[in-house]
Amino acid sequence: MHTRQSIPLLLREALDRAVRYVEGVEGRRVFPDNGATARLAELGGSLPEDSRDPIETIRQLDAIASPATVATTGPRYFGFVTGGMLPAALGAAWLTSAWDQNGILWLTSPAAVDVERIVLRWMSELFGLPAGCSGALVTCATMASFTGLAAARHAVLERAGWDVEAEGLFGAPPLDVVVSDEVHSTVLKGLAMLGLGKGRVIRVPTDSQGRMIAARIPRLSDRSILCLQAGNVNTGSFDPLRAASERAREAGAWVHIDGAFGLWAAASPARRVLLDGVELADSWATDGHKWLNVGYDCGVVLVRDGTPLRKAMSAQAAYLIETEERDSMNLAPDSSRRARSFEVWAALHSLGRRGLQEMVDRCCAHAEHFARELRKAGIEVPHEVVLNQVLVRFGDDKRTDRVIDAIQRDGILWAGRTEWQGKAYMRISVSNWSTTSKDVERSLESILRAHSLCEGG
Ligand SMILES: Cc1ncc(COP(=O)(O)O)c(C=O)c1O
């Protein structure tokens, strides 16, 4: 049963099932019904005593887990900031699993590591970052910010004569971390994990769109880290990157940009202006699993200068033989890790610059379409729609919650709830490569139906 000879048969079974899933994903409920989620318990019980046929295992997994999946790869999932999976990325993911490469060192996988170097260069060129950036693929934007901020912590404390990796933060010279009132919670989590504290950051006020007000940035120094945002998770707005970074650079401060999805606006000449000044930062965080539409998990950290990153991340042991080549474990928090680079390469290679531009512009056009039609129907969209994010409010908080609930129960689309400037909103994030105008129209019908059903109630 568990033989190498059984693998082709097993892969064919998995392929048939995966194809059925992919072909059916457009037609299914976006969020599974209660019956499907209740059946997940059937995968539990005690750990089986005996081995069984792996094909049976795969059949059971698919039969029970697949109906309980959320159709995030389908075209009408607008929750959080969720990309689907481009065809080339899906194919590359299958190969990546078959190859099972460890991306830790060049010696464990020259292919994974060299391709990682290639995609990091492609992305930094695409984003308009300085030549010679270093970086790594990590699990998510949270870890990308953590990693960029670890390099920042190293550099800022080194300037103060302190070796933070050796000495820790006990007795270290103080440093300032400046963020906006709209900083993403995961940047604060990264700061907390680095011992820099969520609570002791200096917060800069934001304007009506959620952008940092550059004139309100406090005095910075070479002991400061300034965290900026490219793409607010609610409104899609961008901090004034040039004005804020120029102030930081004059003071010798480190600038980190969280562009989890917003950095991809660089692919669109029409939206590039939002990223004016992006190249002035020292570190950048983004995601592949959001707007690039590769599978989970894939975050990206880029840094202007690889030296502080390497000093913050390196680990040595006699058996971990380093080479002249790039050794990824010294540039990222992970040591052993999945070779994420193949999927990223396949996505970028298959789209090319033009395909990326079309995907970004298409998602933004869909977001504008949503906003236009909802406003026409008298529904509040409180912000300028500059990217792929749309906030929607159906009267007061209670009614907004009821309409969101009705939309989610209808199952045609899925959009989540958020709070913005103290009020409840529904968030629509258009991040999937396969969403069409028809999907937007079908989704609008469902939203307007739920809005009118809840009328007056
Ligand atoms: C601006 C921003 N930063 C960070 C994150 C966190 O991303 P991840 O879940 O990949 O860590 C998000 C997620 O939506 C985001 O929008």
Side-chain angles (χ1 to χ4, degrees), residues 230 236-241 262 265 270-277 386-387:
S237 69
F238 288 60
D239 286 344
L241 304 181
R271 290 170 180 84
R272 178 85 233 166
V273 61
L274 295 165
L275 286 164
D276 179 45
V386 294
L387 207 66

Side-chain angles (χ1 to χ4, degrees), residues 427-447:
R427 285 181 67 251
I428 299 175
S429 174
V430 190
S431 311
N432 189 297
W433 68 279
S434 67
T435 304
T436 63
S437 302
K438 265 208 170 119
D439 291 306
V440 176
E441 276 153 26
R442 244 185 109 187
S443 302
L444 278 164
E445 278 167 25
S446 169
I447 295 170

Side-chain angles (χ1 to χ4, degrees), residues 81 140-142 184 186 229 231 233 258 260-261 287 289-290:
V81 185
C140 58
T142 306
H184 197 273
T186 56
Q229 181 165 254
V233 74
D258 170 14
F261 59 95
D287 264 323
H289 56 225
K290 290 189 167 67

Side-chain angles (χ1 to χ4, degrees), residues 104-111 113-115 117 310 321-331:
I104 179 173
L105 294 169
W106 196 83
L107 266 188
T108 60
S109 179
V113 171
D114 279 354
V115 175
R117 190 200 340 248
R310 187 171 285 278
I321 297 159
E322 295 178 22
T323 59
E324 296 285 282
E325 307 295 330
R326 173 197 163 85
D327 284 316
S328 299
M329 68 169 287
N330 291 325
L331 297 162

